[in-house]
C-alpha cells in the first residue's frame, strides 16, 4: 500500500532528522530563546526582506490559526473567511472557542474574491455604527487553499487593498505554503506575502518537518505580547530549539522549496493521468492536492494498492477523493500510481 | 558551563532519538490514530491496571493543564490549587483564559492539605446555593510539586476523599511525575494515581522525551469528546506517532523510572553537599529540583561554571536559586558541582 | 408621526405600570428571591402544567439567549439555527463570545425544518467520532420568527423528535411568544412548548412589560446552578421583584394573550390593506410583524406620517420594510395607517 | 420588621417612579438612542466637565464590571483588585469568565494602596518580558468600598499616578458612588473621578433608581465600539429611555447627592449608637454600610425587629453583621433602631 492520503504521513526529511540527531549532546535555552530559533528567524527575515517582522515558531497549524485570532482581535471583532476555510470546517470551532465569530463567504474552488470581501466589509463599515453586529476585522485566506488552488499575486493585491481600505488585517494560513509557492503557475513570493499581509505562516508539518509552523508577524502592532498569547494557549514548546532547527535546516539551499515544488510536479503528472483517462477533477489544482471524481468501481480498483482520502459523495453519486503527494513522495510511487490509473478499466 | 537550570535542556534520551530515527522510512496514520499511540496507551493501561482509562498524548504540559480544565468544567466551576501551582503562576492565565476562576490556597512547600481543601469546599457545598460564587469543582495538585516536594500516599488518599465527598474532580499535574515517583521517600505508584484521581499525566518533556505528555483520563465521564477538546485547542499533533513512540520507548524496561530516579539521587547528593557546607535549603526536596539559599558571593562563585535559575531575593537578602538535575545529568557533572560546592569560600 | 417601527417603543401596559407603582412603599428580598417572582413562577408552572420546571426572570432576551447556551453547552458543542436567527444576526456574536459555534441553516421565511436539522445532525452523529468538528448539541428556533412566521405544532413535534433522537436540546426564543401564540392560525400552546422543548422563554419586553423575559427551563438537568450562570453574566436583577411582578400582572386574566392577539389582528388588517392595494409582502406573516415591499415613492409617502423600519433593498430595487404593531397599538392608529395605504398613489 | 439588610430593597425614589409614569403615553427610540439618555448624558458630562467622555447606561453593576474588563483588555491582560473586591468575591467569576485573571491584593478595610499596586506592577513592568505571566493592565477599586470605606483624593491621585506610570487603566466601581460622595469626610467629586480615572460609574440601583448604572468612559480609546460590547453581553436595554430617564431625574436639583448623603448621616448615627453601647465596629465606615460585631445574644435581640445581613463568624465567635441604610431609610426607622441598640442588654 502506498500512501497518497495526506502530506504528513512520514516523520521528516532526512536532513531534518539528521539535524535533530546532531543536537543530541548539546544543551539549550528553553522556550524558543535559543540560537537555532534566532538563526532560523534571521534566515526568514532575510528571505522576506523584513528586518522588523517577528518570527515565532509554533508546534502546529491549528494553534497558529486560533492564537493569531485571539491575539489580534478584540472580543467584538470577527473574521471573514471562505466557507471551505480550515478554521471554519476542520478545527473544531477553535476560533469561536476564543470568542470570535467567523463570517464564511461562499468560496470558489477554495478561494474568496476581493469583491466579496469588499461587499461584506462595506455592509459594516459604510453604514453607521451597528452595535448588534460584530466588526469584521480580519480576513483569513489559505495558500494553497484547502482545495489545492492558489491565489495569484493580483488577487492577493486586491484583497490586501480592500483590507487596508477598511483597516482589516490580512492573515494567510500557510500550512501548505511550500506547495503553493512551488506550483508552476504561482507568481507569489514570501516577500510578497510580507508586503501584502499582516501575518502569515510558513508551514513545516506538511512540508518536510516533524512538526512546526513559522509564524511571521509583519504588522508590528500585533507583535506586542505575542509570546504571552502563545504561552497562554500552550504553544510555547519547552525545547523550542527543535522548531528553530528544523526550519533552519529546511531553508538551507532552498531545500524547502525544492521538495515541495517536486511534490507539486508529481501531483500534476498524476492529475494529467486522470484527465487522460477521462476522469474528471473536482477542482483544477496546480499543487500537491488533487481532488478527483471516481466511480465506485474506479475507487475500488485503486484502493487495492493505494491509500487516499474519501471526501464526499457528489449528488450524481461519484466519489470525490483526494490524492495528495508530499515532500516524501518518490518518483517511483507516482509512476506506479500513474500506471494504475492508466490500467483502470 | 554545565546546565543545572532545568530538566528540559537536552533534546531527548538516546533511545528515544534512535526510535524516532527508525521511523524514517515508515508511513503512519495521522492525529494519534496509529500503532505507536495504541501500543503506548496499552503499556500505560497495563501499568495502572485500568483497562477503561483513556490515554491521550499531548505535545505539552500547559496544553494538558488548560484542556483538562476546559473539558471537565462548566463555565461556573472553579479550580482549587496551591498558590505556587503552575497553572496559577506560570501559564499566563491559561485556565482563566478558558473562563475558569482559580482558588489559590496558601501552600506549604508547594503542597496543600486535605484539611485546607475541605474547608474551602465546605464553604460552598455545606451552605445553600450561593449564586454569586463559583462552584469549586476541581482540585489541582502537582506531583512532584513546583518546589520539588511530593505528597505521600496518605496525603493523596485524604485529598481524594475530600474530593469524592463533595463531588470534586482530582487532577494531578505530572509534568515531573518521573522525578516524583523516583524519590527515595516516595510511596505512590502510577496505579495509585489511577485509583485515587480522576485524571493525571505522565510527563515526557522533562523526563527524557523530546516533548509530550501522556494524559490518563481515568474518570470515564471526562473521556467523552476529549479528542475534540484537544483539537479545538490545538493539541492534536498531526504526526501523533511521534508522541506514542516516545512514550512506548521510555516505558520499555522501566527506562522512564530509571533515568528519573537516577536524577533524583544526584540531586539529593547535591543537596547534601550544600547542607554539609552549611548552606540552607529554601525547601527540603527529595526530587530533582533543589532550592538553595546562596549569598551573593556564593552565587557569583558558582555562576562561573554552572547555569542555574535565580528564583527570588529573600527578605534577608539571600538568593533563592534552583539547581535542577535531569535524566541527562551525568555523574561527572554532579560530582563536578559537588566539588565546587565544597570549595566555596 | 405614529410609530410602527417595533413593538418596544412604549414604556409598559397600564396595568404593569400601576403594579410597579403599588410597590412603592414595600420592601423586598433581592435577586429574584421574593414573593412576586415566586407567584409569577407558580402561575407559569400552572399554565404549562409542569411543576418541575424552573422559571427564571431575566432583564433581556439577548441575555436569555446566550446564557442558555453558556449554561447548557460544553465548549466543544455548537448550536443549529436559521440563518435569520436572532442569535446569528442581531446579537453581536454573543453566543460565539461564549465560545460556541453557530451552524446556520438556510431558513425559509425564518423557519428551518426537521428535515434540515436531521441532515445536519446525521452528518455528525451517524459517522464515527470526528474530533475536528464541533458537536451539534442544541437547536435554536424562534417563535414567532424574526420574519413574523410561526411553526405549526406538527413542525415543532418533528423538530423535537429529531432533537430527542440525537440527544440535542431544543431551545425556543420566545421574545415574541405572545404574538406567536396570538396568531389566528396558531395551534401551539405554552403547555406544548413545555412538552416539546428543553427550554423556552415567554417574552415580556415586546409584549407589554417594561422589560424582562420569563425563562422556562423544563429539562431538569439544565436547572443545576442556572442562577449562577445568570449572575456570572450579569442577569440577576438586584430588584428582581420588578420582573416577577410584571409577569404576574400580565398573566392575570389572560391579559398577556389578549394584548398580543389584538396586535396580531391589527397587523393582519394592515397586511390585507397592502395586499388589496396590490403591494406585495416579502413574507406572508400571521403575526404582528409585516414585511412589505414598497417602491421608493410609496415609501416616501408613508414616511410622512409613520415611522417604520427599513430592512433592505431587494435586487429589483424595492424596499423591504417592516410595519410592526404592538400591545400598545390602537385601533385608531391602525385605521389611520390603513387609510393611508388605501390612499397611496 | 424594618429592613436594614441592604440598599436595594425598595423599588425607587418617588420622583423616579413619577417620571416613569409620565412616559406612559409617549413613544421612544430603542436601545438607548432616545432623548432621555441624551439629556442624562449631557447632565453628567456637565457635572464632570468632560464633554469628550462617553456615558452609557447599563441595567446592572455586574454587567458594568465585566463588560468594562472585556472591552478594555486583551486576553493576556489581568486586573489588580482588592481581595474584598466585588468582582473577586461576589460576581460568580464573571471577569474570569471573560478570560481575564484577577490579581487580588490583600486589602485594608476594603482598600488597596498605591504602594501595593506599584509593587505588583513593577514585578511585571520593570522586568523583561515574561511570557508566562499575564500583563497587569487595569486597576479596579470601589468607591465606596465593599466595607463602606472611601479613598481620599490623595489616595486616588497616588493610585492614578501609578497607573499612568505603567500604562494601566484605572476603573472605579461606583455602585455606591452616591454614598461615597455623600460621606462627611469625603473630598472627592465626580469631576475628580473624571480627571483621575479612565472609566467609572455612577450607581443607580442602590441609590434611588429602580435599576441602572451610568458608566462614564473618560478614556476615549475605550469608547470605540463600546456599545457593541454592551450588546454582545446583553446590556443594551431595549427600552433604554427607562435608564436615561431615571438618571436624569435623580440628577435634577442634586437629588442623587441629597438622598445618599442623608443615608450616610443616618448610618453614622447608628454607628455612634453602637459605639456608645460599647459594641465594636468591624470596620470604621463613614458611609451607609456599617459592619458591627455582635454577640449571639445581641444579634438575637435585634433580629426580632430588624432585618440585617449576617456576614461571618469571627475567630472569637462574634457575629460580623451589616446594617445598611439607603436612600429610602427614614429618620423614624433609624431612630427606632437606635433606641433598640440603646436598649440592648
Amino acid at each position: 500500500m502506498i500512501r497518497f492520503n495526506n502530506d504528513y504521513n512520514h516523520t521528516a526529511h532526512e536532513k531534518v532528522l539528521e539535524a535533530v540527531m546532531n543536537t543530541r549532546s548539546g544543551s539549550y535555552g528553553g522556550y524558543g530563546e535559543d540560537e537555532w530559533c534566532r538563526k532560523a528567524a534571521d534566515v526568514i527575515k532575510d528571505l522576506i526582506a523584513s528586518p522588523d517582522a517577528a518570527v515565532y515558531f509554533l508546534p502546529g497549524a491549528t494553534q497558529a490559526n486560533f492564537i493569531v485570532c485571539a491575539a489580534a482581535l478584540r472580543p467584538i471583532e470577527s473574521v471573514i473567511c471562505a466557507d471551505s476555510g480550515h478554521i471554519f470546517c476542520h478545527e473544531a470551532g477553535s476560533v469561536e472557542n476564543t470568542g470570535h465569530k467567523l463570517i464564511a463567504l461562499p468560496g470558489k474552488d477554495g478561494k474568496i474574491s476581493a469583491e466579496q470581501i469588499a461587499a461584506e466589509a462595506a455592509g459594516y463599515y459604510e453604514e453607521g455604527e451597528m452595535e448588534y453586529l460584530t466588526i469584521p476585522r480580519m480576513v483569513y485566506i489559505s495558500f494553497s487553499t484547502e482545495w489545492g488552488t492558489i491565489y495569484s499575486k493580483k488577487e492577493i493585491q486586491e484583497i490586501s487593498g480592500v483590507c487596508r481600505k477598511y483597516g482589516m488585517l490580512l492573515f494567510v494560513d500557510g500550512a501548505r505554503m511550500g506547495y503553493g509557492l512551488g506550483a508552476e503557475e504561482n507568481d507569489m513570493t514570501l516577500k510578497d506575502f510580507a508586503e501584502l499581509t499582516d501575518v502569515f505562516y510558513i508551514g513545516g508539518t506538511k512540508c518536510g518537518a516533524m512538526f512546526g509552523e513559522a509564524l511571521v508577524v509583519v504588522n508590528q502592532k500585533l507583535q506586542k505580547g505575542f509570546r504571552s498569547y502563545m504561552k497562554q494557549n500552550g504553544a510555547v514548546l519547552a525545547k523550542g530549539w527543535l522548531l528553530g532547527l528544523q526550519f533552519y535546516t529546511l531553508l538551507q539551499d532552498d531545500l524547502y522549496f525544492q521538495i515541495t515544488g517536486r511534490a507539486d510536479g508529481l501531483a500534476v503528472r498524476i492529475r494529467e493521468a486522470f484527465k487522460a483517462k477521462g476522469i474528471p477533477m473536482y477542482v483544477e489544482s496546480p499543487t500537491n492536492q488533487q481532488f478527483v471524481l471516481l466511480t465506485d468501481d474506479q475507487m475500488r480498483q485503486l484502493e487495492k494498492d493505494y491509500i487516499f482520502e474519501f471526501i464526499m459523495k457528489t449528488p450524481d453519486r461519484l466519489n470525490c477523493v483526494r490524492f495528495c503527494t508530499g515532500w516524501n513522495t518518490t518518483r517511483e510511487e507516482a509512476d506506479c500510481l500513474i500506471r494504475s490509473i492508466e490500467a483502470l478499466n
Side-chain angles (χ1 to χ4, degrees), chain A:
Chain A
M1 298 293 277
I2 307 178
R3 281 189 183 270
F4 285 98
N5 59 325
N6 62 36
D7 33 20
Y8 44 88
N9 54 46
H10 275 63
T11 293
H13 190 276
E14 190 65 23
K15 284 201 200 276
V16 168
L17 285 176
E18 200 178 289
V20 170
M21 289 304 281
N22 288 341
T23 63
R24 72 173 72 181
S25 52
S27 76
Y28 302 90
Y31 305 120
E33 298 189 317
D34 64 87
E35 66 205 80
W36 289 113
C37 286
R38 270 191 298 278
K39 285 166 73 171
D42 286 345
V43 169
I44 290 170
K45 288 194 269 187
D46 275 0
L47 266 174
I48 60 173
S50 302
D52 295 332
V55 180
Y56 307 99
F57 299 99
L58 293 86
T62 297
Q63 289 177 316
N65 286 339
F66 81 79
I67 292 172
V68 164
C69 293
L73 302 178
R74 300 171 72 204
I76 197 63
E77 297 174 341
S78 50
V79 182
I80 294 173
C81 64
D83 55 5
S84 57
H86 211 262
I87 53 170
F88 189 68
C89 300
H90 279 83
E91 300 184 355
S94 65
V95 174
E96 289 95 342
N97 187 46
T98 68
H100 301 289
K101 191 184 191 75
L102 297 179
I103 300 172
L105 304 181
K108 179 162 172 18
D109 295 348
K111 294 161 60 178
I112 49 176
S113 69
E115 197 180 357
Q116 285 177 290
I117 296 166
E120 184 67 32
Y124 182 84
Y125 289 104
E126 313 234 323
E127 308 292 328
E129 183 184 332
M130 288 166 290
E131 82 279 349
Y132 56 92
L133 295 183
T134 58
I135 304 175
R137 183 72 211 299
M138 180 183 277
V139 172
Y140 163 98
I141 60 175
S142 304
F143 188 89
S144 60
T145 70
E146 294 75 10
W147 289 110
T149 53
I150 55 174
Y151 290 86
S152 70
K153 184 165 177 177
K154 181 163 172 294
E155 288 171 331
I156 293 186
Q157 283 170 330
E158 288 168 355
I159 290 173
S160 181
V162 173
C163 288
R164 287 175 184 176
K165 175 176 175 188
Y166 291 113
M168 300 191 296
L169 302 164
L170 181 53
F171 172 31
V172 178
D173 173 335
R176 290 193 173 93
M177 179 60 81
Y179 300 111
L181 294 176
E184 201 179 337
E185 69 187 57
N186 170 57
D187 62 354
M188 282 292 292
T189 64
L190 287 181
K191 192 154 163 286
D192 293 331
F193 279 107
E195 278 166 16
L196 296 170
T197 79
D198 293 279
V199 49
F200 68 97
Y201 57 96
I202 305 171
T205 303
K206 291 168 175 163
C207 302
M210 289 195 296
F211 60 96
E213 318 294 308
L215 184 72
V216 182
V217 181
V218 187
N219 184 327
Q220 292 182 53
K221 282 187 195 156
L222 302 187
Q223 297 171 6
K224 195 178 160 201
F226 197 85
R227 277 172 57 81
S228 297
Y229 290 103
M230 288 173 54
K231 180 64 188 169
Q232 188 173 56
N233 290 292
V236 175
L237 196 72
K239 302 185 182 178
W241 66 87
L242 289 172
L243 291 164
L245 175 69
Q246 293 183 83
F247 275 95
Y248 182 77
T249 304
L250 285 168
L251 291 169
Q252 294 303 297
D253 304 322
D254 279 348
L255 177 62
Y256 184 80
F257 305 100
Q258 284 168 23
I259 61 180
T260 50
R262 227 183 102 274
D264 285 342
L266 296 175
V268 166
R269 284 186 50 222
I270 292 166
R271 180 189 76 194
E272 293 308 310
F274 277 117
K275 288 164 82 170
K277 194 71 183 181
I279 291 174
M281 309 307 289
Y282 183 73
V283 169
E284 183 75 17
S285 155
T287 67
N288 73 315
Q289 297 183 86
Q290 297 296 332
F291 296 88
V292 188
L293 293 169
L294 299 181
T295 63
D296 288 349
D297 183 52
Q298 290 165 340
M299 190 160 72
R300 260 192 307 273
Q301 291 180 57
L302 290 173
E303 278 172 346
K304 276 185 227 144
D305 299 308
Y306 307 96
I307 302 179
F308 48 91
E309 192 174 70
F310 175 77
I311 305 292
M312 61 178 171
K313 209 80 180 176
T314 64
D316 47 356
R317 309 305 300 159
L318 289 173
N319 301 289
C320 177
V321 302
R322 180 176 74 166
F323 283 85
C324 200
T325 60
W327 55 271
N328 53 277
T329 305
T330 62
R331 172 169 301 272
E332 290 68 35
E333 289 171 330
D335 285 346
C336 185
L337 173 58
I338 288 167
R339 280 193 302 274
S340 299
I341 294 167
E342 290 166 351
L344 281 172
N345 49 33

